[in-house]
Amino acid sequence: MTSNKSITEPFADRLLDWWAKHGRHDLPWQQPRTPYRVWVSEIMLQQTRVEAVTDYFERFINTFPDLQALATAEIDQVLSLWSGLGYYARARNLHAAARILIDEFDGQFPNTVEQLNALPGIGRSTAAAICAQAFDLRAPILDGNVKRVLARHAAIEGWPGQTRVANRLWEEADIRTPEEHAADYTQAIMDLGASLCSRSRPSCSSCPVKADCQARIQQRQHELPTPKPRKTIPERIQAFDILRNEAHQLLMVRRPPSGIWGGLWCLPEAGSLESVSAVQSLAAPEPIRHAFSHFRLELQFHHSLIEAEDLVMNRNLQWRSIEGWLNQGIPRPIRHLLENLQ
Ligand code: SF4
């Protein structure tokens, strides 16, 4: 792939020409590119790479082929298909938005950024990406990949999380977005950020917009976009109870809808269940460390066989075999633990 595009050609034309030859045209949500499929893919792609999303997307669409199927599903089923993708608020918002679209929009997707942006889990850039890709309407986007391309191409200083910097990037996004070919342009700029203009090793010699890229001209590709100011990430420790019964089942609780792992099934936090009496202590597994975006958690475990008769099961407290739990929506480190306990 080489490119000698001149700067006399508009940014968008150079990008579209490159994308026609080198872009991704066979992503599962591109065929057919319906609003529902585009929406699901855009939500899955937030914070997650295309390669990690495609299998999840196929499974999700096979189970919930349309809005109606998603809106009438139980949240547990939605979370179980999301299990392992992380950022579970996305799945809860997807489910909530599906219900709103059925109840208030007659099952039709609105085609304005403002209306889409008002739905749960759809920010400004995602709303624009849906408008552009599903309806081919002009709508500038600014996701992580696009921020990187624009911060470099226009040499915009400062961490994009700051409002001042984000506003400058939105201006650049707006100036460059063409009136026509909105869907293809949106995919093209996302693809450029995900491929040639990568975070650590940009391939500038092949880039269709290299001629006027200020970061390349100034040899500052590795400084831009400006990284987030460093903060030490806090560490937390939480102990969990692995409680077994005579039938080799494990006890799990459903976590509250908000907070970490909201709505997922999880081991009870140590000591949180009253009326549980251990009849035998078992060897505890090694602690597991898990990184969230804003803190690190060390999960420690107590392991015991318990007298289960005093416990009353309900929607949020259940016994299941390990295999049974592995089919439910459970957090990634707990899944890892159960696979090792099997
Ligand atoms: S020339 Fe390099 S830094 Fe500039 S947009 Fe292209 S790949 Fe990114």
Side-chain angles (χ1 to χ4, degrees):
M1 275 195 276
T2 56
S3 178
N4 295 305
K5 288 283 173 187
S6 149
I7 56 175
T8 54
E9 253 187 87
F11 180 89
D13 289 359
R14 287 180 272 160
L15 206 49
L16 282 164
D17 191 38
W18 167 80
W19 184 74
K21 298 186 192 105
H22 304 294
R24 296 177 292 193
H25 301 265
D26 54 357
L27 296 170
W29 41 91
Q30 290 174 324
Q31 285 146 7
R33 200 151 60 173
T34 65
Y36 176 69
R37 293 164 64 91
V38 167
W39 170 55
V40 171
S41 72
E42 281 298 322
I43 300 298
M44 285 189 170
L45 287 165
Q46 290 169 354
Q47 331 269 355
T48 314
R49 294 169 62 83
V50 165
E51 299 70 37
V53 161
T54 43
D55 285 353
Y56 280 92
F57 178 82
E58 303 270 20
R59 274 198 299 272
F60 197 92
I61 290 292
N62 285 340
T63 310
F64 308 123
D66 53 31
L67 258 184
Q68 185 70 35
L70 178 57
T72 51
E74 291 294 329
I75 184 64
D76 273 357
Q77 202 189 356
V78 180
L79 287 169
S80 116
L81 284 170
W82 209 270
S83 189
L85 256 186
Y87 300 99
Y88 295 94
R90 294 183 298 174
R92 292 194 296 276
N93 283 332
L94 204 63
H95 188 239
R99 293 191 165 178
I100 293 171
L101 287 165
I102 292 291
D103 293 345
E104 298 176 23
F105 291 83
D106 211 14
Q108 300 299 313
F109 272 83
N111 65 357
T112 68
V113 171
E114 291 70 27
Q115 283 176 302
L116 287 163
N117 193 186
L119 291 167
I122 302 187
R124 178 175 167 189
S125 182
T126 302
I130 296 169
C131 263
Q133 296 187 84
F135 303 108
D136 210 17
L137 294 172
R138 182 188 182 279
I141 66 155
L142 193 63
D143 71 359
N145 283 328
V146 177
K147 281 179 192 165
R148 185 165 58 256
V149 171
L150 298 182
R152 285 175 172 167
H153 199 264
I156 295 171
E157 304 266 358
W159 174 50
Q162 288 173 279
T163 308
R164 172 188 63 80
V165 181
N167 288 344
R168 272 287 293 122
L169 289 167
W170 275 112
E171 274 170 30
E172 288 295 330
D174 191 25
I175 291 165
R176 289 154 198 255
T177 305
E179 291 298 331
E180 293 183 342
H181 308 297
D184 291 349
Y185 174 79
T186 300
Q187 191 64 54
I189 193 161
M190 291 195 292
D191 282 4
L192 183 72
S195 59
L196 299 183
C197 198
S198 65
R199 192 179 307 274
S200 52
R201 294 173 57 196
S203 306
C204 300
S205 58
S206 307
C207 177
V209 292
K210 67 180 178 186
D212 50 351
C213 173
Q214 297 307 304
R216 186 195 63 80
I217 291 164
Q218 299 167 23
Q219 290 295 292
R220 299 181 58 215
Q221 297 97 316
H222 297 286
E223 290 168 32
L224 296 170
T226 309
K228 185 176 181 177
R230 273 184 180 276
K231 262 203 309 205
T232 37
I233 296 181
E235 309 236 353
R236 292 189 205 158
I237 295 175
Q238 176 65 56
F240 292 88
D241 280 329
I242 305 172
L243 303 172
R244 292 181 182 256
N245 64 14
E246 296 286 358
H248 303 292
Q249 292 174 311
L250 284 186
L251 189 66
M252 295 267 235
V253 294
R254 196 202 303 267
R255 297 192 58 93
S258 56
I260 65 163
W261 302 327
L264 298 191
W265 287 97
C266 188
L267 296 170
E269 293 184 3
S272 62
L273 294 179
E274 291 166 6
S275 65
V276 164
S277 47
V279 292
Q280 188 187 348
S281 276
L282 304 170
E286 289 293 309
I288 296 178
R289 293 169 69 77
H290 185 72
F292 289 91
S293 52
H294 51 298
F295 69 98
R296 287 202 192 90
L297 184 66
E298 179 174 302
L299 295 85
Q300 300 180 345
F301 304 101
H302 306 155
H303 192 181
S304 24
L305 190 64
I306 65 165
E307 195 66 69
E309 281 159 12
D310 296 339
L311 283 173
V312 180
M313 296 300 108
N314 57 46
R315 278 194 80 237
N316 300 323
L317 180 68
Q318 289 185 12
W319 289 105
R320 277 181 218 262
S321 63
I322 290 181
E323 294 73 30
W325 284 123
L326 287 171
N327 287 326
Q328 298 293 311
I330 55 177
R332 191 194 294 252
I334 301 295
R335 176 169 300 276
H336 180 68
L337 173 84
L338 297 197
E339 283 166 353
N340 285 332
L341 280 179
Q342 248 181 334

